[in-house]
Amino acid sequence: MEKPLASYSERSGRAPSFEVEYRFLSADEGGRKLPPHQHTRWDFLYEGDDAERDGIWMIWPEFISDDREVLPEGVAPMSGHALMFIVNLDNEQMHQERISLGTRGAFMEGGRKVAECTVVAVHALAHLVDEERSR
């Protein structure tokens, strides 16, 4: 029997940066034709930014269940909650300045928006704010 893949937290030894509520767009809305899968590495675009001008960010979702457990590999729900992991830690401070409750964004597949999301909790980024204040 194959061992399930470890969660992003287990692999990296880091807590998630923040959490979003998401909804994948339907094919009719310009979204995906196939359902999303756990651990697909979608990038993140802040609402109001232009993907070509401002760029997209390597912030990857990891889908969780209603009882806050990381979902197994395979098809993920079309809507729900996801823990978000900032991949390039060199950009963490910039994201800390942009991420707060209610921040809106999108999961990107190349230059195409495939899901909309809203920040509903700030996790590891909140600890950065506390560390900055204590200096």
Side-chain angles (χ1 to χ4, degrees):
M1 183 173 191
E2 247 183 80
K3 181 181 173 190
L5 284 176
S7 70
Y8 286 154
S9 286
E10 291 168 334
R11 289 186 229 177
S12 68
R14 295 188 295 124
S17 302
F18 57 98
E19 181 179 330
V20 298
E21 184 173 353
Y22 70 89
R23 179 187 74 83
F24 275 88
L25 303 176
S26 69
D28 290 342
E29 295 173 291
R32 297 177 52 81
K33 293 179 180 145
L34 299 173
H37 281 75
Q38 180 70 292
H39 296 128
T40 297
R41 295 174 176 166
W42 288 287
D43 290 320
F44 183 83
L45 177 71
Y46 287 97
E47 183 177 74
D49 283 5
D50 178 272
E52 287 187 28
R53 181 190 68 231
D54 303 312
I56 56 178
W57 303 98
M58 289 175 47
I59 305 176
W60 297 340
E62 185 167 62
F63 304 111
I64 57 175
S65 66
D66 291 341
D67 57 354
R68 313 218 26 87
E69 296 295 322
V70 173
L71 294 174
E73 296 302 312
V75 174
M78 291 294 287
S79 63
H81 284 243
L83 302 174
M84 302 296 288
F85 291 82
I86 295 171
V87 177
N88 184 345
L89 297 180
D90 292 341
N91 295 323
E92 206 168 32
Q93 172 124 14
M94 183 276 303
H95 293 300
Q96 172 203 333
E97 294 168 6
R98 294 194 73 181
I99 294 290
S100 61
L101 294 179
T103 298
R104 297 185 51 78
F107 298 168
M108 301 295 290
E109 199 167 86
R112 181 170 58 117
K113 179 169 83 168
V114 295
E116 301 171 327
C117 62
T118 303
V119 175
V120 295
V122 180
H123 298 297
L125 283 180
H127 300 295
L128 286 178
V129 171
D130 294 340
E131 289 172 17
E132 289 290 317
R133 287 185 184 144
S134 66
R135 288 185 190 165

